[in-house]
Amino acid sequence: MATIEEPKNKLKLYSYWRSSCSCRVRIALNLKGLSYEYIPVNLVKGEQFNPEILKLNPLGYVPVLVDGDFVVSDSFAILMYLDEKYPQHPLLPRDLHKKAINYQAANIVSSSIQPLQNLAVLKFIEEKVSPDEKLPWVQYHIRNGFAALEKLLKDHAGRYATGDEIFLADLFLAAQLHPAIKRFNVDMTPFPLLSRLHEAYNELPAFQNGMPENQPDTPSSSTT
């Protein structure tokens, strides 16, 4: 039986309960069986701009991972770092083509959906356009991204996004599907494949334990 490599110093994750970027990393840590200290950063209160956080990540974003003396931010970079250093439960398949599809799906989420729904963008729309335009804006961009993902994955999906094993694309999809359905009320009728994947992720403890409602800093009054 292969042994699970544990970090010599306990990993620290600066996170926010509702951050989908942080959610991706939480799922990866769970899949790899890595224990970590959860350090909450309240984005609504602006704690991401505290000097301590800006020293770790000049952009003032979460997640940030601290592994001993090493600090890395940006969820994609964190996931690649974790996969290289802690190879148990690999996040990427060996097959080159399947690996490329995982990168492509992850990038659709990380570059064409999530940035357009983050707190700073929604605040800008609320202030410069109208509060009533926030939800239509988010739903429009999520639907566009989901339409692309539905087409991309139709010839590659198995039980999960790119087959019958969990890989990188699944982490990005699970973390994006949750707020799309629970928070932004996106109609999933046009996306049967993504809907099926969402249900599959709901059956996985490593995924569910990383979801917003199960974090230490989740407000007691919130379930989404």
Side-chain angles (χ1 to χ4, degrees):
M1 176 182 283
T3 58
I4 295 178
E5 183 182 353
E6 279 279 6
K8 294 179 181 178
N9 299 306
K10 192 171 186 179
L11 297 167
K12 296 179 180 180
L13 181 67
Y14 289 79
S15 176
Y16 178 59
W17 68 282
R18 207 158 64 176
S19 161
S20 62
C21 298
S22 298
C23 183
R24 304 164 191 163
V25 175
R26 297 191 299 250
I27 294 170
L29 290 165
N30 294 339
L31 285 171
K32 290 179 175 292
L34 296 169
S35 59
Y36 62 97
E37 179 185 354
Y38 187 106
I39 302 174
V41 180
N42 191 319
L43 304 186
V44 175
K45 293 182 178 179
E47 292 178 357
Q48 66 272 33
F49 302 119
N50 290 349
E52 176 193 2
I53 305 302
L54 291 175
K55 184 177 180 181
L56 296 171
N57 180 5
L59 279 174
Y61 290 164
V62 294
V64 176
L65 183 77
V66 179
D67 186 3
D69 296 329
F70 182 69
V71 178
V72 58
S73 57
D74 183 274
S75 63
F76 221 126
I78 292 171
L79 292 171
M80 294 298 93
Y81 171 79
L82 287 172
D83 212 34
E84 293 263 355
K85 186 168 183 181
Y86 306 105
Q88 62 267 24
H89 196 114
L91 299 180
L92 288 167
R94 290 191 174 186
D95 179 82
L96 179 61
H97 293 170
K98 188 177 288 188
K99 184 183 294 186
I101 298 301
N102 271 270
Y103 279 134
Q104 188 175 350
N107 270 305
I108 288 174
V109 174
S110 65
S111 65
S112 299
I113 303 177
Q114 187 278 325
L116 299 169
Q117 69 180 41
N118 70 22
L119 188 63
V121 170
L122 296 185
K123 185 177 180 181
F124 183 89
I125 292 172
E126 181 176 20
E127 293 176 352
K128 303 296 184 181
V129 185
S130 166
D132 295 335
E133 292 301 318
K134 288 197 303 182
L135 186 58
W137 165 276
V138 171
Q139 290 175 337
Y140 172 81
H141 289 290
I142 290 176
R143 286 195 300 266
N144 279 354
F146 280 5
L149 287 163
E150 191 84 7
K151 292 176 182 177
L152 172 68
L153 298 175
K154 66 181 178 66
D155 294 328
H156 302 283
R159 186 174 182 183
Y160 304 113
T162 58
D164 293 332
E165 296 180 76
I166 291 291
F167 288 120
L168 187 73
D170 298 295
L171 278 62
F172 281 77
L173 286 171
Q176 180 59 60
L177 284 163
H178 184 279
I181 295 168
K182 300 288 188 180
R183 182 181 174 193
F184 299 123
N185 302 315
V186 172
D187 178 11
M188 294 298 292
T189 305
F191 314 116
L193 173 55
L194 295 183
S195 297
R196 180 176 66 76
L197 292 175
H198 176 65
E199 293 302 318
Y201 301 145
N202 284 340
E203 302 298 322
L204 301 173
F207 279 65
Q208 290 312 298
N209 291 339
M211 288 297 148
E213 60 268 24
N214 297 319
Q215 303 317 303
D217 57 333
T218 304
S220 57
S221 61
S222 177
T223 58
T224 58

